[in-house]
Amino acid sequence: MLQRGNDIFRRATFAEPGLSLGAVPTMKPDTTFDGNATFPMNGNTQNQGTASVLYLDQGPAQAGCPAGATGCKATARGANAGLFFAFPALGANPNVVAFDETTGLTVWTAHVMTGGDGIRGTPVIDASSRRLFVVTGGNPHLVHALSVDTGAEVTTGGWPVTLSKTTVSFNGTGFNSVDQNQHGASLLLNGILYSPFGGQYGDGGTYLGWIVAVDIADPTKVAGWATQSPRSGIWGSGGLASDGTGVFAVTGDTTMQPRSASDSQEVVRVTGMAQLTRSAANVFVPPEWQSWDQPMGDMDFGASTPSYVPLPGGSSPAGLLVAPAKAGRLFVLDATNLSGGKYPAAGGSLGEFVVADTSRESVYTAPTIYTSASGLHATINVGVGPAGCPSGTKSSSEMVISMLLAPGQTPIAKEVWCAPNSGGGHMNYPPISTTTDGMSADALVWFMSGSQLTAVDGDTGKQVVTTSGAPCNGVPSMSFPIAVKNRIVVSALGHLCSWSPNGQ
């Protein structure tokens, strides 16, 4: 689990042989791990904690405490044992912590300079260089490289990378670091680190939507793409998605602009060092974009993030992009021709579906994509006024909704189940999925339900388990769980929480 979503497609699906339909009803907290995997909670926690926990299965080769590590308590740790990584809230010191996968004891701590919102977007691990890349907020923003073995920061060869008006520009516009902020998960593709930016919380200041690209082999090579319209930020906690050659981002709200001068409320695909070829293949504008700008206000498309869906060889299109929108909609796009040839006009999706209240801020999500016995699913959470649920579905204002995708058919998707959720408010809790064989067996969808963990059948949405016992308090509504070695682990404010069959 080196980056958010478990792969560059951001499918958020995991192969876990031990999480079968028969074993999952026995899920319990891993009490020893949970009691040890704690970190500072001091500082400002408002709108914080959205960075997901990460995992590296080959930790330091040295057993016990690695030489040069600070804060280590895992003196009995086995050589090469895996590590979990957590990123405490703004103001906490340390603000990067690595934990032993078995005991939850601290293996190392680090503190990287922060400001603004601190570490908000989920970082990325590069297993080959054994480095963890972290973006910190402030003026200026910095991109840090840390050793995954000791937490020591790399300070040579151009690290850390400064993001400012003098180091990053696009078409003559410099990166206005004081008004920018990095909300979404970064993505690593072909040796390039991509990080999305919006504005400060509350939409204040002079900011643009940015995708900043850093060559991790030579961090003096930095570039960026910026929206041509103001306040067109990339906000979604899920970050960016990729088809393996390009990177997809979704932008958000703005003051009203002519479409020819706007990059608000759109999906874009950049390549290389964040370069956009403005064409129908690389830009999608939803038909509703004007009402989302004004008069509805704050209905930023970019509050949610997309997932890429690769299709079998020979398929046309070769892949889909599933793009939810805050205003209660979900778009299915041809990932090779985002607007179906219509751009610069709006429209051209393969399918548009109303999944929640379209008059309110109802969808903050990132999909999970999985295959079950019934077919290919795209599953999201909605926080207000779910729509389109099959008859007989238990009513709830917060729901997890599964769409069955049918590439090449009309309609290309339909809602097949809804499962009630609670405790996340209008932002709710994004789901993940598991299968026991990495294909379709024992498909399960997992999500937080307040302080407990829920799993539902991936075919039907029927509840398989909601855990009991010690609550996992303080899970931010946009903190993504992960599945590792037949465990589900999530980051909360001040601690990690882990569950497994029968507990540990």
Side-chain angles (χ1 to χ4, degrees):
M1 178 50 202
L2 306 179
Q3 48 188 324
R4 206 286 302 169
N6 198 39
D7 59 22
I8 59 173
F9 307 142
R10 305 299 207 193
R11 291 179 295 183
T13 192
F14 303 79
E16 297 296 332
L19 297 182
S20 66
L21 285 166
V24 162
T26 69
M27 294 290 284
K28 294 180 181 178
D30 297 323
T31 54
T32 298
F33 179 93
D34 292 353
N36 290 332
T38 62
F39 45 85
M41 192 178 163
N42 59 294
N44 176 19
T45 59
Q46 182 181 15
N47 306 304
Q48 286 293 304
T50 54
S52 173
V53 59
L54 296 176
Y55 173 77
L56 178 68
D57 63 357
Q58 287 288 319
Q62 180 182 351
C65 292
T70 60
C72 182
K73 298 179 182 178
T75 56
R77 175 188 154 273
N80 299 307
L83 299 178
F84 289 98
F85 299 87
F87 310 96
L90 172 63
N93 187 350
N95 57 11
V96 183
V97 186
F99 297 102
D100 175 60
E101 65 177 352
T102 302
T103 64
L105 291 169
T106 303
V107 177
W108 57 255
T109 65
H111 188 72
V112 290
M113 189 177 83
T114 65
D117 275 355
I119 301 170
R120 190 175 182 120
T122 303
V124 170
I125 296 169
D126 178 43
S128 59
S129 68
R130 301 194 66 78
R131 290 179 178 178
L132 169 70
F133 300 103
V134 179
V135 180
T136 56
N139 185 24
H141 282 74
L142 296 173
V143 183
H144 307 265
L146 305 180
S147 165
V148 296
D149 295 309
T150 66
E153 181 164 10
V154 181
T155 56
T156 59
W159 298 104
V161 178
T162 299
L163 306 182
S164 68
K165 288 183 177 179
T166 59
T167 60
V168 185
S169 65
F170 177 73
N171 286 348
T173 299
F175 184 86
N176 184 25
S177 188
V178 68
D179 286 337
Q180 299 291 153
N181 218 337
Q182 202 268 317
H183 303 268
S186 295
L187 185 144
L188 185 62
L189 174 68
N190 299 328
I192 299 173
L193 179 71
Y194 298 91
S195 296
F197 287 82
Q200 301 288 357
Y201 184 79
D203 292 334
T206 305
Y207 69 90
L208 303 172
W210 280 88
I211 303 172
V212 173
V214 178
D215 184 336
I216 64 170
D218 181 1
T220 63
K221 297 178 180 177
V222 185
W225 172 80
T227 58
Q228 59 184 340
S229 49
R231 290 184 56 185
S232 302
I234 303 167
W235 297 95
S237 295
L240 307 166
S242 175
D243 59 3
T245 57
V247 173
F248 300 95
V250 184
T251 65
D253 61 323
T254 189
T255 53
M256 198 68 175
Q257 303 278 331
R259 192 65 236 176
S260 61
S262 179
D263 279 312
S264 174
Q265 316 290 17
E266 68 185 20
V267 181
V268 297
R269 177 181 180 272
V270 302
T271 57
M273 293 297 285
Q275 297 167 323
L276 172 65
T277 299
R278 195 174 289 277
S279 68
N282 297 313
V283 183
F284 167 76
V285 179
E288 302 84 1
W289 76 272
Q290 287 181 301
S291 66
W292 292 352
D293 271 3
Q294 292 179 352
M296 294 173 73
D298 207 34
M299 288 295 188
D300 39 320
F301 196 178
S304 291
T305 51
S307 292
Y308 174 75
V309 185
L311 298 177
S315 299
S316 182
L320 305 175
L321 194 75
V322 175
K326 182 194 280 188
R329 289 173 169 82
L330 181 143
F331 297 90
V332 180
L333 309 177
D334 176 347
T336 65
N337 185 359
L338 291 178
S339 74
K342 287 194 173 184
Y343 182 79
S349 70
L350 298 176
E352 176 181 346
F353 305 91
V354 173
V355 294
D357 189 334
T358 59
S359 67
R360 301 172 64 184
E361 300 178 36
S362 56
V363 178
Y364 290 74
T365 193
T368 183
I369 309 296
Y370 65 94
T371 300
S372 71
S374 58
L376 181 63
H377 293 252
T379 302
I380 64 170
N381 59 286
V382 305
V384 178
C389 294
S391 62
T393 299
K394 183 179 178 180
S395 177
S396 174
S397 61
E398 301 175 25
M399 298 285 261
V400 174
I401 294 177
S402 191
M403 309 284 293
L404 190 64
L405 300 176
Q409 299 181 29
T410 302
I412 196 169
K414 64 177 180 179
E415 286 189 37
V416 290
W417 59 257
C418 296
N421 193 11
S422 63
H426 72 293
M427 292 185 181
N428 211 301
Y429 293 109
I432 64 170
S433 57
T434 60
T435 59
T436 53
D437 62 354
M439 299 175 64
S440 61
D442 294 280
L444 291 162
V445 173
W446 304 81
F447 49 90
M448 292 302 299
S449 299
S451 62
Q452 298 292 343
L453 176 71
T454 290
V456 300
D457 187 301
D459 275 311
T460 65
K462 181 180 178 181
Q463 181 176 302
V464 178
V465 68
T466 292
T467 58
S468 59
C472 180
N473 293 317
V475 179
S477 57
M478 290 299 290
S479 187
F480 301 89
I482 65 173
V484 170
K485 295 185 177 180
N486 304 318
R487 298 159 65 186
I488 304 295
V489 182
V490 71
S491 183
L493 294 174
H495 58 107
L496 299 181
C497 294
S498 175
W499 298 264
S500 63
N502 295 310
Q504 296 177 11

